[in-house]
Amino acid sequence: MISILSRSALISAYGRSGYCDEVIKVFETLKSSGLKPNLVAYNAVIDACGKWV
C-alpha cells in the first residue's frame, strides 16, 4: 500500500513535469483508497495545477 507521503511526492513530480491530468488521477486514487488527504497533498495539487492552467 502506498502511503500519503508517497502519493504527495508523486503528485508533486507530475506537477513539475506538467502532467496535470495525472495529478488529478493520483489525487482521486488517494481519496478512493480510503486515505484522507492532508495539507501536503492538497498543496501539491494546487501548486501543480496552478502552474499549468
Side-chain angles (χ1 to χ4, degrees):
M1 184 164 138
I2 299 176
S3 71
I4 197 162
L5 182 62
S6 299
R7 290 185 194 218
S8 296
L10 185 59
I11 289 169
S12 293
Y14 277 138
R16 284 191 307 272
S17 299
Y19 296 111
C20 194
D21 290 338
E22 294 299 321
V23 167
I24 300 301
K25 287 179 188 175
V26 172
F27 186 72
E28 290 298 325
T29 302
L30 179 129
K31 291 191 323 183
S32 68
S33 69
L35 293 173
K36 183 179 176 188
N38 61 9
L39 185 61
V40 175
Y42 281 116
N43 189 36
V45 170
I46 291 168
D47 186 49
C49 292
K51 291 179 182 177
W52 304 106
V53 174

